[in-house]
Amino acid sequence: FSGDYDREIIQEIIATADRKHLDPNTLIAIGIRETKLGQDDKGYWENNPLHFNHPLEDKYKDAWRLDLYPESYRKAMIDRSADHFISMRDDARKKGFKGDVLEMQAYNGIGWLTEKNTGVKRMYGKRLPINTAKDPVYGNAVLHIRDAVREVLIAMRENKKE
């Protein structure tokens, strides 16, 4: 991963992760994987940097009204994405899926990727079908990005000390 990412988006993700007791590097990695932290299709993904696309419960329904709540929309989407991550992670744990990679896969879904349900013949550089419970392709991609984010942040902190 590389890029000049929006500091405000990163700060909002970190604040949300801290509030919800999550590793901010994981949420940042999901944002990089999903939308390059809002850089894909500016104007939409910058307001939904973790690519949350599930129906919202009542407490979030007004957040979809970007025209009414431009400042809170992105925060609500980041908040809802973090809630979705927690819900999917906890559900995966209850079903016996353990470890970081499967917990990250859970955000994207655990199951079969097929040509019929994706509309494509290949994903993640692999031919379909893929059983993501046995080959967590999304989880591995996010894990790789998360580890790279950690390394960059460690290097930045060490450079500040010098």
Side-chain angles (χ1 to χ4, degrees):
F1 77 96
S2 66
D4 186 19
Y5 300 110
D6 185 322
R7 182 179 296 271
E8 189 176 321
I9 289 174
I10 292 170
Q11 289 171 333
E12 288 173 7
I13 291 171
I14 290 170
T16 297
D18 288 347
R19 253 191 349 273
K20 296 182 180 284
H21 308 289
L22 294 170
D23 174 10
N25 299 314
T26 297
L27 292 185
I28 290 168
I30 289 171
I32 290 170
R33 173 69 184 93
E34 291 289 340
T35 70
K36 296 184 185 121
L37 285 178
Q39 291 182 21
D40 287 348
D41 193 11
K42 278 273 193 197
Y44 180 74
W45 293 124
E46 67 186 328
N47 290 309
N48 189 2
L50 301 177
H51 188 182
F52 182 76
N53 61 356
H54 297 276
L56 297 175
E57 291 96 31
D58 287 342
K59 75 175 188 173
Y60 297 102
K61 71 178 176 4
D62 288 338
W64 285 108
R65 297 291 312 273
L66 183 55
D67 57 323
L68 296 177
Y69 306 100
E71 297 84 26
S72 66
Y73 180 84
R74 181 169 64 208
K75 288 180 181 171
M77 293 293 91
I78 291 170
D79 191 71
R80 185 58 189 108
S81 296
D83 288 347
H84 178 67
F85 176 83
I86 292 166
S87 174
M88 298 304 284
R89 179 202 63 197
D90 292 351
D91 189 48
R93 286 176 178 171
K94 286 177 190 166
K95 292 178 180 175
F97 296 108
K98 303 281 186 232
D100 286 355
V101 72
L102 284 170
E103 290 176 2
M104 289 180 216
Q105 180 66 45
Y107 182 82
N108 192 254
I110 297 176
W112 284 94
L113 295 173
T114 65
E115 186 176 347
K116 185 177 181 180
N117 67 19
T118 65
V120 297
K121 295 180 185 211
R122 299 181 68 80
M123 286 186 85
Y124 302 99
K126 296 183 176 200
R127 202 160 167 69
L128 300 183
I130 299 170
N131 178 353
T132 62
K134 297 195 185 316
D135 185 5
V137 288
Y138 177 86
N140 281 320
V142 172
L143 184 70
H144 175 75
I145 295 167
R146 184 198 68 188
D147 291 347
V149 166
R150 281 187 177 150
E151 288 177 25
V152 167
L153 293 176
I154 289 168
M156 288 172 63
R157 285 186 201 117
E158 288 174 359
N159 284 337
K160 282 185 178 181
K161 290 178 185 175
E162 294 175 4

